[in-house]
Amino acid sequence: MDKLPWIILSAGDNVAVATAAIAPGSTVGGIQTREKIDPGHKVAIADIPLGGPVVKYGQAIGRTTAEVKAGDHVHSHNLHFENDRLAATANSAPEAATADDVGRTFMGYRRADGRAATRNYIGIIASVNCSTTVCRAIADEANRTILPHYEGIDGFVPIVHDQGCGMSSTGDGMNVLHRTLAGYTRHVNFGGVLMIGLGCEVNQLTLYGQSGAGASKRHFNIQDAGGSRRAVERAMGMLREIAADVGKEKRVPMSIGEIIIGLQCGGSDGFSGITANPALGVAADLLAAAGGTAILSETSEIYGAEHLLRSRAVSDEVAKKLDDKIAWWEDYVALHGASLDNNPSPGNKRGGLTTILEKSLGAVAKGGRSPLTAVYGYAERVTAPGLVFMDTPGYDPVSATGQVAGGANMIAFTTGRGSCFGCRPAPSLKLSSNSALYASMEEDMDIDCGTIATGDATISGKGREIFDLIVDTASGKKTKSELFGYGDNEFVPWHLGATL
């Protein structure tokens, strides 16, 4: 029997998602299409009255702005955001993990404090925008002159940003910046850290007292060094000492339960919630079953699906924390005259997504079906195992920065339109939601999840393929983004508060 060129995701849905272009007048499943349907876009499989709910994933994704007939294209021209929620159905069980899954190991670096690292970098961290140029110069010089002598060091990474001065020394802005930078100074994938300040900024190095202690953690100000060139010279001496220590590290076997992976999606399309996201969810379930941690984030992109996560919370306290984050975001966007439904980007919409509810229902699939064990603020240190949630914006670099600051030693990033991303010191895997993207950007994509839509792979099978690659990457296999050199410019702390 020929495969239908669309997927119906739930028995209660009144739309299907095209897996291939469908010409006007085509008869599919007894329904004649009334207009062209592009891949990833929705086609009505039943008549929907004006103002009726459009149902996908068994959940309302909005209401119609015109009468819709079976076979019509359903998109922005006849569907709009309506703050509906359908009741969460009974939660299905997470992907079943075998004893072999739970007992797997990877080859990582064991730090002195007992934590497990997947990479062995040395970080050159700017306390303020004013020291970013010097930090880059230091990293360039160290990679040129010191790195060739140490095969065990993955590289010297400049962590630079546009904040640190011209801001209040108190309040949300400084608190978030300090928490983020502190998370990077102690990140397990940094075997050593050199933090560089200017000297007169608001974000003083004295706020990071621990980063100045120990053989592998140092800091100083450019003004105290006698200027930019002398700061680079001074840094080289310190980094040679740090490298001599960090370069001795060797990979050893350790449990995959020590992997902490940040889950991201960007440049999503109509296939993201059907292929790449649920496949990544399978890998997240397997990791959680082994005692590892998967961090779901992007609060503005779970809006409309938060009730599904709440139903999986392990306690009322965890559920309330999630509710409080959603309420904060509703107030936050209203304060700035915006709406959370402004979120789907033009690229998202060209790929078939229409409302934030539709995007969110697909986005939460990255978290699999495991219980929600904890909720964290942006860049807070993650300590709970299993599936956890961190409050972040939906903007990928800002969101991933918070996850890494919280302790993620890996990132897995799904995309349907072709987001390019790296996040040093955490290796970043890229998962394409459709095969056309994988074929056109193969040098950026690590796994093609589009084979799920064509029926050539299952969600479970592809999820296990992702799980295997997570283990291999944690053991040192380079991702496509690492091979190209991504990761130096993607450190973007959440900017809150006034610029003074």
Side-chain angles (χ1 to χ4, degrees), residues 226-290:
S228 302
R229 193 172 303 279
R230 289 179 181 176
V232 175
E233 293 170 355
R234 180 174 177 179
M236 289 304 105
M238 291 182 171
L239 290 176
R240 287 187 182 93
E241 294 176 357
I242 292 173
D245 183 34
V246 175
K248 298 175 183 176
E249 298 285 342
K250 303 291 183 184
R251 290 186 180 270
V252 296
M254 50 189 65
S255 167
I256 60 167
E258 299 187 76
I259 294 175
I260 304 174
I261 192 163
L263 311 175
Q264 287 289 320
C265 60
S268 300
D269 69 350
F271 290 115
S272 293
I274 300 170
T275 61
N277 288 355
L280 178 55
V282 167
D285 283 342
L286 295 174
L287 184 63

Side-chain angles (χ1 to χ4, degrees), residues 74-86:
V74 179
H75 198 40
S76 303
H77 63 289
N78 57 11
L79 168 63
H80 75 132
F81 170 77
E82 187 73 27
N83 200 8
D84 291 333
R85 303 289 192 278
L86 297 183

Side-chain angles (χ1 to χ4, degrees), residues 81 300-301 303 333-334 336-346 348-349 354-357 359:
F81 170 77
S300 58
E301 294 186 5
Y303 186 71
V333 296
H336 294 278
S339 165
L340 284 168
D341 189 46
N342 290 339
N343 178 272
S345 70
N348 294 153
K349 292 183 177 181
T354 309
T355 69
I356 186 58
L357 303 182
K359 186 175 181 180

Side-chain angles (χ1 to χ4, degrees), residues 15-315:
V15 294
V17 180
T19 58
I22 305 175
S26 300
T27 300
V28 182
I31 296 172
Q32 187 175 61
T33 57
R34 293 155 54 91
E35 50 197 313
K36 180 185 177 184
I37 313 295
D38 288 327
H41 282 248
K42 297 174 290 297
V43 56
I45 56 175
D47 294 345
I48 310 172
L50 170 65
V54 175
V55 182
K56 179 182 175 184
Y57 302 107
Q59 292 288 317
I61 62 171
R63 291 186 179 272
T64 59
T65 57
E67 184 180 4
V68 172
K69 296 292 185 182
D72 281 347
H73 180 210
V74 179
H75 198 40
S76 303
H77 63 289
N78 57 11
L79 168 63
H80 75 132
F81 170 77
E82 187 73 27
N83 200 8
D84 291 333
R85 303 289 192 278
L86 297 183
T89 56
N91 291 315
S92 53
E95 182 76 11
T98 66
D100 287 342
D101 294 330
V102 173
R104 291 188 69 169
T105 61
F106 74 99
M107 298 297 291
Y109 297 97
R110 179 68 67 194
R111 300 304 188 197
D113 61 4
R115 293 182 299 156
T118 63
R119 293 293 184 269
N120 194 32
Y121 285 111
I122 294 175
I124 317 298
I125 300 179
S127 68
V128 64
N129 175 258
C130 311
S131 60
T132 60
T133 299
V134 166
C135 284
R136 290 190 186 280
I138 291 170
D140 288 345
E141 182 67 11
N143 282 318
R144 187 179 66 83
T145 64
I146 301 177
L147 186 61
H149 300 286
Y150 295 95
E151 292 184 1
I153 298 176
D154 289 304
F156 294 82
V157 181
I159 299 296
V160 299
H161 53 96
D162 66 352
Q163 298 184 48
C165 206
M167 59 193 298
S168 174
S169 60
T170 59
D172 290 342
M174 180 55 74
N175 290 340
V176 166
L177 178 62
H178 178 262
R179 192 162 65 237
T180 304
L181 288 173
Y184 271 70
T185 64
R186 66 170 177 262
H187 196 277
V188 69
N189 284 359
F190 281 140
V193 166
L194 175 60
M195 195 169 194
I196 306 294
L198 177 61
C200 54
E201 63 271 16
V202 172
N203 188 35
Q204 289 284 301
L205 290 179
T206 53
L207 297 172
Y208 304 86
Q210 290 186 342
S211 68
S216 297
K217 295 183 183 293
R218 313 282 185 86
H219 64 206
F220 69 85
N221 287 316
I222 297 169
Q223 291 167 351
D224 296 334
S228 302
R229 193 172 303 279
R230 289 179 181 176
V232 175
E233 293 170 355
R234 180 174 177 179
M236 289 304 105
M238 291 182 171
L239 290 176
R240 287 187 182 93
E241 294 176 357
I242 292 173
D245 183 34
V246 175
K248 298 175 183 176
E249 298 285 342
K250 303 291 183 184
R251 290 186 180 270
V252 296
M254 50 189 65
S255 167
I256 60 167
E258 299 187 76
I259 294 175
I260 304 174
I261 192 163
L263 311 175
Q264 287 289 320
C265 60
S268 300
D269 69 350
F271 290 115
S272 293
I274 300 170
T275 61
N277 288 355
L280 178 55
V282 167
D285 283 342
L286 295 174
L287 184 63
T293 303
I295 308 173
L296 185 65
S297 298
E298 302 174 297
T299 315
S300 58
E301 294 186 5
I302 67 153
Y303 186 71
E306 74 281 353
H307 62 303
L308 305 181
L309 285 174
R310 186 195 306 118
S311 70
R312 291 155 52 188
V314 297
S315 68

Side-chain angles (χ1 to χ4, degrees), residues 448-492:
D448 175 17
C449 297
T451 52
I452 296 171
T454 61
D456 297 313
T458 64
I459 289 173
S460 178
K462 188 62 66 171
R464 286 186 168 276
E465 182 181 342
I466 296 169
F467 182 59
D468 289 340
L469 186 56
I470 288 172
V471 176
D472 290 344
T473 302
S475 298
K477 181 178 180 179
K478 297 292 186 183
T479 67
K480 298 287 184 68
S481 63
E482 286 180 295
L483 292 172
F484 186 81
Y486 278 104
D488 289 354
N489 300 303
E490 287 75 20
F491 175 76
V492 187

